Amino acid sequence: MSEHVPALTGAPVGTYQQYVTVRIASQLFGLPIQMVHEVFAPDAITRVPLAPPAIAGVLNLRGRIVTMLNMRCLLGLPAAEGKGMAVGIEHDGEAFGLMIDDVGEVLGLDTAKREANPANLDARWSAVAAGVHRLSGELMLILNVELVLRGAGTVKAITASSY
Amino acid sequence: MDDLLQEFLTETNESLDVADVELVKFEQDPNNAEILNNIFRLVHTIKGTCGFIGLSRLAAVAHAAETLMGKFRDGRPVTADAVTLVLSTIDRIKWMLSAIEENNGQEPEGNDQDLISLLEEMAATELPPPEPEPVPEPPKVEAAPQTLERDLLPGEIPLDELERLFRETEVELPARGKDKAKEAAPAASAAASSETTASASSSKGDSAKGDSSKSDAPKAEPPAEPKAATASVPAPVTTSGAIAKADGRTPATQGGAQRPSGTPSGVPANAEEGTHASALSAQTIRVSVGVLEQLMTMVSELVLTRNQLMEIARRQGDSEYKVSLQRLSNVTGELQDAVMRARMQPIGNAWQKLPRIVRDLGQELGKQIELEQIGADTELDRQVLDQIKDPLTHMVRNSADHGLETPEERRAAGKPERGTIRLSAYHEGGHVIVEIADDGRGLNVGRIKQKIVERGLATEAEVSKMPDVQAFRYIFQAGFSTAEKVTSVSGRGVGMDVVRTNIEAIGGTIEVHSKLGQGSAFVIKIPLTLAIVPALIVRAADERFALPQSAVVELVRVQPGTDHAVNWFNNVPVLCLRDKLLPIVALGTLLGLAPEQDAHQADQWTDALIVVLRVGAETFGVVVDAVSHTEEIVVKPMSSTLRQVPMVSGCTILGDGRVIMIVDPAGLAQGAAARGAEAAEMDLNTAEATHRAAAAEERTSLLLFRAGSREPKAVPLGLVTRIEELEVSSIERVKGYPVIQYRGALIPVLYANEEVGRAKSGTQPMLVFSAEGRVMGLLVDEIVDIVETPLDMQLSPSGMPEVLGAAVISGQATEILDVGFYINVAFGERFEQLTRVSTRPKLLLVDDSAFHRDLLAPVLKGNGYDVTTCSSAQEALERLGDDEEFDAIISDLELPDMDGFALAAAVRDDPRNRDLPIIAVSASRDRDTIERGRAAGFTDYVARYDRAGLIEALKEFAGRQGAAA
């Protein structure tokens, strides 16, 4: 796992990282704030035929085509009931939206207190998580955006080959 | 890296590409002084500019090359070796340039002494120019050459020359004006177009020199002024005088050759330089690709916004904005056109490297190849241009390698030794057509068809009916190469499929035309641009999709009572459109958005909208739910995660802000074909093996009846002679066996099984089987039906000896009964008594299907043969090898591992078996198979269910064998 979470090893002790907290199903996740461009309510998502299941589709966000990733699907959770929210992120000049249930507050956390993924974490979860923070009353999983996008990509590779 | 260097790199690279082309031309036409001059000037420019910027290593190489080029100008014969050397020098320069670019302006380490010494050697070993060097006249202005304290580095420009250059540069413009004023316009244009004609050079010499040396020099006199200019260059340049001589020209040569070094921009700033583009260059500016791309994106956005506004206007009906909106729309359209034009580049840019490639190939392959280029100025979008560069190169290579014959072959075929590859390009309604034609050997249809069959891409029967053009299309299949030998150039069977993929990726198509012995032509049709395309917006599976208009042929509405109708072939829908049958697919289903079973409801398409698409030569129909409108859509690329998604080439934003997918027609065609293949595969799976598939395809007539249980039972109708209603009172008993009198003879009758009702009175249905005079009756409960169906029988483990197996017939599980078993029961013992075993002819029956074995063996036994059965050819050969003597072999043609043909051949290989009759039994009856069978050594051929025929054949052959023995 260590090669998946390079940020862990190089982080100096005592530095603070701000996280945008989001909720998917009942679980709290944290996204490094510098990755998050915006938060928006996804509307009029167009399905992409034959796309990987984790890709919900694309939408037009102020003239830009945003590829929407269904986080619940990626994490193997049942589909959400409500419309939910989306976190806009930018990667390699392309715009992506992570579909989540709800957006919470921004938390500043000590990186030194971050703990590694529990060994028995669901494989689909540990594939996108870069560690855990213990908050008062609950645990927050850190989402690694790179891994999330790669996760959507691997799913693609499988579906493409089976096609 | 500073701007100057950046500019130098860009320009030098361009110049080198030109130099490549020019050199190849020069080699073919060494006497063309104009070409020579062009090359010399190019190399010289490079050298000069290098010196300017301080790239000494580069300058040294360029200088050595220039020296050699100078020799050519002296009239030294141009050899292929020399041109190769210069070309490799140019390659070296290119390498260094790219290294400089990578190293941020630093020249790579090392030196090029190897190359330079080769160049110098070649320049030095040459005989002195044939003509005596003219007496150098004292230079006028350059009379007092300034000298440096040190030796000049190779390629460095002497100070005096520099000074002269500055002087000349200063006064060029006035000179031009003066020239124009003085001379008639034609003369000026002549000067602009050519420097080699005598008149032009004289007038030019006049004007060029008029300023630098105040027209002192006599017009056409060769005073060899350059001597002074070049004398101070230390390298083996001792040729300037001869240069002038060879050109028959005055100091203009000097100016022509050296002035560019003083104008580092490289773009000839004045018409007098004589390059063709010069007149235009004053009106063009260099714009970076990035700026153009940005412009394009912005225009695309503008088009989108315009579309949105138009949509709003459409909804609002009459509005005051309408007029202004119309104007905005027009202007946007024009702007779009203009920006598109700015992105256009002549296709010649993609061809630039080809002459060099063709030349090198020609040398490598020992062929004489001429490359003709027609329509190199045809313009197309640079994005498209980039995409077709590699495919074009590949195809030209292919033509040179495979297409064209060697000179000997060409001579033998009565063609000129020199082969021609003709590249042509032209516009045709929104598309660019590029043609690569050669006058070589052409494609061998026979070989291609053979290959198609070998690779199992089509059957022989299909291939024989296949039109040539369709067969040629197979050369674009991966791994398909008919080249007998793999060369370093091509023949590996990779490439053509990549070519097709690349071209189809940009919405283009490729076709091949060829005549054996006369050559072949590849015709590529590509769109002018990829950025904005007209598209048809359709609806399917509750989503809208854009279908590129270029692929749409027509829209068809299928309705009851119209001429067009959807027909079904075994769950595959086809559209009868006029005289054609088109495969159709439902867009929603194909894209995986609509449930699969929808497509299988045969009645759902009695009223449907079908978009007929054409991709290449493929025409097919796509069923959509609704057709909306056509729109100029701006193609937006999909994110990288989605780029590999099949059948979708991009997306666009519609007027209402929704994103919709652009469907890729080529992908659709492939997807549709894949579905067809899938269906075929399923058939194969159920049939288990190929022979089964053949048996399944051949429908078998079965008699269905009930005997005991409710489930029907069946026997092959071919084995049933009659169906009778038997008066049960007529059943008698002989030795405890039930018999009846039937047509004047006693025949045994059996009940099909224990459960069959034994009627006490009245009639009971009876099947009459006959095996060569032996007739028996089988009593059953009820005759159900006669069906003709593909027979796909699974052997039954029921343990009941009379049951061969079960099959699903008309949707019901049906037991197939074994007629042979009943015949055995009814006659077996009696035959044993009638014929002594030793005299019975022995047969070897080879069939991998237990069904067929069990079907035939009893019949044969019933006819007095002793039958040994084998399930494979291998087993049969073992039996034969066991010194067992057989009177005849009956073999199925379709056997696993080793087929009947191979078996027959193997049997015939053994001298003892040379006269052994071998009778083939097979389902297929076509002439080819029969011929092949005869060739393999089969004595006769009998169709699978033709028992009478088989018995006849056995009588004839096995009997004869017996008589001979």
Side-chain angles (χ1 to χ4, degrees):
Chain A
M1 275 329 291
S2 62
E3 77 272 68
H4 280 177
V5 284
L8 260 184
T9 48
V13 176
T15 53
Y16 275 81
Q17 165 73 52
Q18 285 194 305
Y19 293 100
V20 177
T21 61
V22 300
R23 213 167 270 285
I24 305 171
S26 56
Q27 178 61 48
L28 192 68
F29 287 89
L31 280 158
I33 198 164
Q34 68 274 15
M35 305 297 295
V36 178
H37 258 233
E38 59 193 321
V39 174
F40 59 95
D43 190 29
I45 297 179
T46 303
R47 286 181 290 169
V48 179
L50 309 172
I55 292 179
V58 290
L59 59 75
N60 169 19
L61 188 65
R62 296 188 296 278
R64 283 199 78 179
I65 307 274
V66 181
T67 306
M68 302 301 291
L69 304 184
N70 186 338
M71 289 308 292
R72 276 176 168 261
C73 174
L74 199 64
L75 296 170
L77 294 167
E81 275 154 32
K83 261 195 160 176
M85 297 292 288
V87 178
I89 53 174
E90 187 93 12
H91 184 259
D92 272 350
E94 288 170 355
F96 292 90
L98 307 187
M99 291 168 69
I100 42 123
D101 291 3
D102 207 358
V103 182
E105 54 195 332
V106 174
L107 293 179
L109 297 170
D110 187 349
T111 49
K113 295 223 173 104
R114 176 155 63 168
E115 294 167 47
N117 290 335
N120 61 349
L121 195 64
D122 185 308
R124 283 171 293 199
W125 288 49
S126 58
V128 294
V132 188
H133 267 292
R134 259 186 286 184
L135 308 179
S136 58
E138 66 178 324
L139 298 173
M140 185 186 84
L141 272 176
I142 314 284
L143 272 184
N144 181 326
V145 170
E146 281 275 338
L147 296 181
V148 167
L149 295 180
R150 209 189 296 168
T154 7
V155 177
K156 173 197 76 184
I158 293 159
T159 39
S161 63
S162 72
Y163 167 69
Chain B
M1 211 182 324
D2 60 16
D3 290 348
L4 187 62
L5 186 60
Q6 188 62 57
E7 187 146 312
F8 161 73
L9 289 175
T10 316
E11 272 169 11
T12 315
N13 271 322
E14 274 170 22
S15 313
L16 286 172
D17 284 342
V18 178
D20 258 355
V21 179
E22 296 278 327
L23 266 167
V24 174
K25 272 198 247 164
F26 180 54
E27 188 185 22
Q28 290 160 0
D29 187 9
N31 296 320
N32 191 328
E34 185 185 355
I35 300 174
L36 181 64
N37 267 323
N38 284 342
I39 306 165
F40 190 85
R41 196 165 35 237
L42 280 166
V43 178
H44 189 92
T45 308
I46 294 167
K47 184 190 89 169
T49 326
C50 289
F52 231 73
I53 300 182
L55 302 168
S56 54
R57 183 176 168 191
L58 197 52
V61 176
H63 173 78
E66 187 198 2
T67 311
L68 187 59
M69 294 311 295
K71 288 277 187 187
F72 294 146
R73 300 215 320 188
D74 294 352
R76 180 203 141 125
V78 180
T79 62
D81 281 354
V83 174
T84 309
L85 186 59
V86 176
L87 284 174
S88 61
T89 312
I90 286 178
D91 287 342
R92 178 77 62 97
I93 294 174
K94 279 184 196 162
W95 170 78
M96 270 193 267
L97 286 172
S98 64
I100 290 167
E101 204 169 353
E102 277 166 27
N103 296 345
N104 210 13
Q106 295 304 307
E107 280 189 313
E109 293 294 316
N111 66 59
D112 310 284
Q113 205 47 54
D114 51 338
L115 196 63
I116 293 171
S117 56
L118 274 176
L119 283 165
E120 280 174 353
E121 200 179 316
M122 184 158 294
T125 52
E126 200 42 54
L127 294 166
E131 280 166 80
E133 214 168 292
V135 182
E137 215 171 85
K140 302 288 187 265
V141 181
E142 298 86 349
Q146 303 176 45
T147 46
L148 266 174
E149 302 298 292
R150 58 169 172 87
D151 276 348
L152 280 167
L153 280 168
E156 253 180 351
I157 302 162
L159 289 177
D160 55 343
E161 191 182 341
L162 266 180
E163 189 169 303
R164 186 184 53 78
L165 282 169
F166 284 131
R167 256 203 310 277
E168 283 182 4
T169 321
E170 267 173 351
V171 291
E172 260 159 12
L173 272 173
R176 186 176 169 194
K178 194 166 103 191
D179 191 27
K180 273 199 180 141
K182 201 164 67 185
E183 308 255 347
S189 69
S193 65
S194 162
E195 344 174 26
T196 49
T197 56
S199 69
S201 69
S202 63
S203 74
K204 187 171 173 341
D206 213 12
S207 61
K209 218 170 143 298
D211 316 293
S212 57
S213 49
K214 305 284 176 269
S215 297
D216 294 34
K219 263 199 201 168
E221 200 182 323
E225 264 177 40
K227 183 79 183 173
T230 45
S232 51
V233 180
V237 182
T238 53
T239 56
S240 343
I243 292 171
K245 186 69 193 172
D247 288 342
R249 209 139 35 97
T250 53
T253 306
Q254 182 194 19
Q258 289 164 347
R259 203 170 304 162
S261 63
T263 51
S265 78
V267 180
N270 47 19
E272 287 160 14
E273 282 309 321
T275 45
H276 314 289
S278 57
L280 291 169
S281 62
Q283 295 169 22
T284 59
I285 53 161
R286 211 175 271 275
V287 180
S288 90
V289 172
V291 173
L292 268 184
E293 288 298 313
Q294 202 188 345
L295 258 179
M296 192 64 216
T297 325
M298 277 168 359
V299 167
S300 300
E301 289 299 328
L302 190 59
V303 170
L304 269 180
T305 318
R306 188 237 358 225
N307 290 353
Q308 280 166 8
L309 284 175
M310 297 294 270
E311 175 80 26
I312 295 168
R314 246 201 303 275
R315 274 204 300 264
Q316 290 196 338
D318 213 24
S319 99
E320 53 188 306
Y321 308 123
K322 212 143 204 182
V323 177
S324 339
L325 197 57
Q326 201 54 51
R327 241 189 88 62
L328 176 70
S329 176
N330 286 345
V331 173
T332 310
E334 276 168 35
L335 183 61
Q336 182 188 327
D337 277 355
V339 175
M340 292 302 259
R341 267 207 308 280
R343 282 164 54 103
M344 294 290 189
Q345 283 190 321
I347 196 167
N349 288 8
W351 292 354
Q352 222 159 40
K353 292 195 162 55
L354 295 178
R356 167 82 188 269
I357 288 166
V358 166
R359 176 205 172 264
D360 287 357
L361 271 180
Q363 289 224 318
E364 190 183 321
L365 302 166
K367 294 177 184 177
Q368 294 179 23
I369 307 168
E370 180 155 348
L371 184 70
E372 274 180 33
Q373 301 184 13
I374 300 161
D377 52 355
T378 309
E379 288 191 323
L380 73 172
D381 195 287
R382 49 170 293 276
Q383 198 184 350
V384 181
L385 197 72
D386 283 349
Q387 290 268 357
I388 61 157
K389 233 179 223 177
D390 290 345
L392 277 182
T393 310
H394 185 86
M395 279 191 290
V396 168
R397 273 171 172 280
N398 244 359
S399 290
D401 190 20
H402 297 317
L404 294 177
E405 312 92 325
T406 58
E408 300 81 60
E409 285 168 341
R410 292 186 66 87
R411 227 178 299 131
K415 298 188 202 177
E417 279 183 31
R418 174 172 281 266
T420 307
I421 297 175
R422 199 180 64 242
L423 267 173
S424 50
Y426 55 93
H427 284 285
E428 192 187 89
H431 282 86
V432 176
I433 314 283
V434 187
E435 214 179 293
I436 299 114
D438 63 63
D439 64 347
R441 54 172 74 96
L443 291 172
N444 188 334
V445 187
R447 276 185 54 80
I448 290 172
K449 287 189 172 177
Q450 190 189 333
K451 196 94 180 174
I452 293 171
V453 176
E454 269 171 35
R455 290 178 54 90
L457 301 170
T459 65
E460 244 164 280
E462 284 165 359
V463 159
S464 61
K465 275 181 258 150
M466 200 179 275
D468 290 359
V469 178
Q470 199 182 335
F472 291 150
R473 230 167 274 150
Y474 282 89
I475 64 171
F476 297 110
Q477 292 255 356
F480 198 98
S481 172
T482 54
E484 274 145 48
K485 57 179 194 296
V486 171
T487 65
S488 68
V489 184
S490 43
R492 291 185 196 85
V494 293
M496 286 317 264
D497 63 315
V498 179
V499 166
R500 192 190 60 176
T501 318
N502 277 0
I503 287 168
E504 283 179 357
I506 53 170
T509 58
I510 180 163
E511 263 186 52
V512 194
H513 304 282
S514 180
K515 265 236 166 74
L516 191 59
Q518 293 180 26
S520 24
F522 292 82
V523 182
I524 305 170
K525 189 176 175 189
I526 37 178
L528 269 179
T529 178
L530 304 176
I532 298 181
V533 294
L536 181 70
I537 313 296
V538 299
R539 186 178 279 280
D542 292 328
E543 297 272 0
R544 279 173 296 174
F545 295 96
L547 285 168
Q549 195 83 60
S550 57
V552 176
V553 183
E554 62 180 313
L555 298 174
V556 178
R557 168 142 225 161
V558 175
Q559 263 178 323
T562 57
D563 295 345
H564 316 304
V566 174
N567 291 6
W568 292 78
F569 283 136
N570 185 30
N571 281 338
V572 176
V574 291
L575 170 67
C576 304
L577 181 64
R578 293 180 286 275
D579 56 341
K580 272 196 217 149
L581 277 184
L582 302 179
I584 56 176
V585 283
L587 186 59
T589 316
L590 194 59
L591 294 176
L593 295 174
E596 188 76 14
Q597 62 262 33
D598 280 14
H600 289 295
Q601 285 171 2
D603 58 337
Q604 70 149 350
W605 288 343
T606 47
D607 184 358
L609 265 175
I610 298 175
V611 183
V612 179
L613 299 177
R614 183 179 297 138
V615 180
E618 212 85 36
T619 309
F620 61 101
V622 170
V623 181
V624 298
D625 296 342
V627 175
S628 167
H629 60 286
T630 58
E631 191 169 319
E632 295 258 299
I633 56 166
V634 179
V635 181
K636 298 239 176 198
M638 302 285 271
S639 74
S640 49
T641 27
L642 291 174
R643 229 159 269 166
Q644 298 307 312
V645 170
M647 299 185 223
V648 171
S649 59
C651 53
T652 189
I653 299 173
L654 282 190
D656 62 1
R658 272 295 284 243
V659 183
I660 68 165
M661 296 296 133
I662 302 168
V663 174
D664 168 26
L668 274 190
Q670 274 175 19
R675 284 178 76 85
E678 222 168 76
E681 215 162 85
M682 269 157 52
D683 283 350
L684 279 183
N685 285 344
T686 48
E688 276 180 3
T690 46
H691 80 276
R692 279 280 178 84
E697 272 162 33
E698 192 179 11
R699 301 166 83 84
T700 312
S701 291
L702 294 172
L703 177 72
L704 296 187
F705 54 90
R706 275 202 187 87
S709 58
R710 278 191 52 78
E711 286 75 41
K713 305 203 167 14
V715 290
L717 188 60
L719 302 177
V720 180
T721 330
R722 284 183 74 83
I723 302 166
E724 300 274 351
E725 283 290 322
L726 178 71
E727 283 287 341
V728 289
S729 57
S730 64
I731 300 177
E732 300 162 45
R733 285 190 179 265
V734 173
K735 285 191 205 165
Y737 294 112
V739 292
I740 54 162
Q741 291 184 26
Y742 183 74
R743 296 185 175 182
L746 272 185
I747 64 163
V749 292
L750 295 173
Y751 289 93
N753 54 41
E754 295 303 311
E755 292 151 38
V756 172
R758 268 82 172 156
K760 297 279 182 275
S761 61
T763 60
Q764 188 161 2
M766 178 181 72
L767 315 179
V768 179
F769 305 133
S770 75
E772 279 309 296
R774 307 290 154 190
V775 184
M776 67 158 289
L778 186 73
L779 288 163
V780 299
D781 285 336
E782 187 191 356
I783 305 294
V784 177
D785 201 0
I786 292 172
V787 293
E788 196 181 321
T789 175
L791 182 59
D792 173 31
M793 191 183 67
Q794 275 102 43
L795 288 185
S796 142
S798 68
M800 286 184 286
E802 75 270 22
V803 179
L804 268 181
V808 175
I809 293 162
S810 309
Q812 257 193 306
T814 308
E815 282 179 340
I816 314 280
L817 298 187
D818 181 1
V819 176
F821 170 80
Y822 293 114
I823 293 177
N824 254 6
V825 169
F827 288 99
E829 288 166 33
R830 231 168 294 180
F831 274 114
E832 294 293 327
Q833 289 159 11
L834 286 175
T835 32
R836 278 169 295 133
V837 175
S838 58
T839 60
R840 294 168 72 175
K842 293 176 75 172
L843 299 180
L844 185 62
L845 175 62
V846 192
D847 201 316
D848 61 319
S849 149
F851 175 62
H852 292 132
R853 278 202 306 271
D854 294 345
L855 212 58
L856 271 182
V859 173
L860 296 171
K861 280 179 187 158
N863 278 285
Y865 293 96
D866 186 9
V867 184
T868 309
T869 55
C870 303
S871 61
S872 74
Q874 207 52 51
E875 197 186 334
L877 289 174
E878 277 164 22
R879 293 261 182 191
L880 282 171
D882 287 347
D883 279 343
E884 252 185 278
E885 279 186 26
F886 290 98
D887 296 302
I889 300 175
I890 299 163
S891 172
D892 187 10
L893 283 182
E894 296 91 20
L895 293 170
D897 304 333
M898 183 178 185
D899 65 12
F901 303 112
L903 171 65
V907 170
R908 289 281 180 253
D909 269 355
D910 188 334
R912 288 178 303 169
N913 297 329
R914 197 167 298 142
D915 298 320
L916 182 64
I918 312 176
I919 297 165
V921 179
S922 174
S924 81
R925 250 168 250 164
D926 60 288
R927 186 178 295 272
D928 281 359
T929 317
I930 296 175
E931 276 311 307
R932 262 184 82 195
R934 287 212 193 287
F938 281 106
T939 320
D940 201 357
Y941 181 94
V942 180
R944 173 151 279 156
Y945 296 104
D946 184 6
R947 288 174 312 135
L950 179 60
I951 302 296
E952 280 304 310
L954 280 174
K955 269 187 189 163
E956 187 183 340
F957 299 110
R960 187 182 63 192
Q961 170 87 358

